[in-house]
Amino acid sequence: MKSRSFKAPGKALLCGEYAVLRGAPAMCVALNCRAQVTVSKRTETVSIVSTLGFAEGSWRFKIIDESVAWLDQPPEGVRSLLDAACKKTRLTSCCPAALTIDTLAFYSPRDKKKLGLGSSSATTVALVAALQKQSFDIENIWANSKMVHKAFQNGRGSGIDIATSCFGGLITYTSCDTAPPTKTTWPTGLYYQFFYSGIEADTIAAIDRAAGVSEKSWNMLIEHARDAAIAWGSGNVEEILDAMEQYTVSLRKLDLLYGLNIFGAGHQDLVDLAKTTSLIYKPCGSGGGDIGVALSKTKKDIQDFSQYARMKGFMPLDLEIDNNGVIPTIGEKV
């Protein structure tokens, strides 16, 4: 086996978080920070995985009876990912191998904290692509990546992050869909800026907290998630901003009612400021840290808002929409 190397983008969940776990549509966008995984055959009898970004280091392992037998003690994240990949991909047939996992783009250059841009899903997709058979089959990559990531997260999550890393661009996603997600063109005249709160969120803990919300309490959020998806599909900027505001209000009500801390880590301060302007701000994904997004009809509003966000300790991120999903690096063929 020659060396194979693939890159997959990160993501930001624009709306539909939490509601997507109850069957509502969600909007997610791929961003131009990428995880890269390279797999090459080794002549030695022992395989090795090396990481850049997350828990930097190298750890040796063997495949015994189609299971990973670790010769070193890797961090739990590395261990869990490769254990899941061994069960769901061609890892066994590729070994002994050298794997390099590079997620440096997902960490803050300021303090090396994880930004919350979907590094685990991007890594999973890039890894599955690098381990697949020679022909590039995006739907096969998507199906296997969903299985690996679900095992990696002990069954939690909707799969929207995996779909975004696979297909790229702006997507509408429903967890019960078996067909690839619908891709939508980013609306002309809608400006955006993503901000990092400086605090790492715990997505798994947030999902577990939300499990205590009564079924009836989800109804309004689900309704507004559907309205938002329709608005994004229309491409009408006014309708999108109105729908995003309604969704954010519903999300905040649920947050306050059940103490989910979605708007913690300073996000509520930026939401309050946005109410005094013509733009919309909301946390992305599980909230309680990580990132948020500002949306506006004017670039100047975004620029002015960014200055205030910096004063509150938020870092504007130099990120753009990535319309490509998982792709091979130079030298690979699709």
Side-chain angles (χ1 to χ4, degrees):
M1 179 191 75
K2 68 174 184 177
S3 294
R4 291 173 59 80
S5 185
F6 282 79
K7 300 186 293 184
K11 64 91 178 80
L13 216 170
L14 299 174
C15 67
E17 55 267 81
Y18 293 102
V20 71
L21 296 169
R22 275 82 191 168
M27 303 300 302
C28 198
V29 66
L31 301 173
N32 64 339
C33 55
R34 286 180 166 267
Q36 180 169 332
V37 175
T38 302
V39 180
S40 55
K41 198 75 173 177
R42 297 191 86 203
T43 56
E44 294 86 345
T45 59
V46 174
S47 295
I48 188 167
V49 56
S50 302
T51 59
L52 298 169
F54 173 75
E56 296 190 356
S58 297
W59 301 274
R60 299 168 302 151
F61 65 93
K62 287 186 175 182
I63 302 296
I64 300 176
D65 295 331
E66 298 189 354
S67 296
V68 179
W70 291 98
L71 304 179
D72 299 311
Q73 295 298 319
E76 183 56 34
V78 175
R79 177 189 295 273
S80 298
L81 178 61
L82 260 67
D83 286 349
C86 186
K87 294 179 175 66
K88 306 295 183 181
T89 69
R90 294 175 58 252
L91 178 60
T92 299
S93 63
C94 293
C95 288
L99 286 75
T100 301
I101 300 173
D102 184 348
T103 57
L104 283 170
F106 292 82
Y107 289 81
S108 167
R110 182 172 64 187
D111 54 19
K112 305 303 180 184
K113 289 182 179 179
K114 186 160 64 75
L115 295 171
L117 298 170
S119 59
S120 69
S121 54
T123 299
T124 299
V125 171
L127 176 62
V128 169
L131 292 174
Q132 70 167 356
K133 59 185 180 181
Q134 285 302 109
S135 60
F136 184 88
D137 183 343
I138 186 60
E139 292 199 26
N140 181 263
I141 293 171
W142 180 39
N144 287 333
S145 295
K146 284 192 291 184
M147 290 191 294
V148 171
H149 203 243
K150 204 166 190 67
F152 175 60
Q153 292 195 319
N154 295 318
R156 298 179 181 89
S158 67
I160 190 170
D161 43 4
I162 290 292
T164 308
S165 288
C166 276
F167 297 100
L170 173 64
I171 69 166
T172 306
Y173 177 87
T174 305
S175 59
C176 60
D177 284 350
T178 55
T182 302
K183 292 187 72 170
T184 303
T185 302
W186 186 267
T188 302
L190 181 61
Y191 298 93
Y192 63 89
Q193 176 64 58
F194 294 98
F195 298 90
Y196 173 54
S197 66
I199 297 174
E200 294 184 43
D202 187 338
T203 301
I204 298 300
I207 292 173
D208 289 344
R209 286 195 299 272
V213 177
S214 71
E215 288 302 315
K216 185 177 180 180
S217 296
W218 290 111
N219 292 342
M220 187 60 70
L221 190 69
I222 290 171
E223 180 182 339
H224 285 145
R226 290 172 178 155
D227 291 343
I230 292 170
W232 279 98
S234 75
N236 184 294
V237 173
E238 291 282 1
E239 291 181 11
I240 291 169
L241 293 175
D242 287 345
M244 289 291 286
E245 182 176 18
Q246 289 300 314
Y247 182 81
T248 303
V249 169
S250 289
L251 188 63
R252 179 56 172 161
K253 287 180 179 178
L254 194 73
D255 181 34
L256 290 172
L257 185 61
Y258 286 93
L260 301 177
N261 195 39
I262 299 169
F263 289 76
H267 285 301
Q268 186 58 44
D269 289 340
L270 297 194
V271 171
D272 291 340
L273 173 70
K275 291 177 181 177
T276 68
T277 71
S278 61
L279 58 73
I280 300 297
Y281 177 86
K282 67 176 292 293
C284 296
S286 63
D290 286 351
I291 66 168
V293 63
L295 299 169
S296 177
K297 294 181 292 184
T298 71
K299 189 178 294 186
K300 186 178 187 305
D301 278 350
I302 293 288
Q303 292 169 342
D304 292 344
F305 188 82
S306 296
Q307 292 181 4
Y308 177 84
R310 284 193 181 94
M311 292 171 57
K312 300 297 290 185
F314 279 69
M315 180 175 69
L317 298 174
D318 185 19
L319 293 171
E320 296 180 359
I321 296 167
D322 193 332
N323 286 311
N324 295 310
V326 59
I327 56 173
T329 56
I330 295 173
E332 294 282 349
K333 292 183 179 180
V334 174

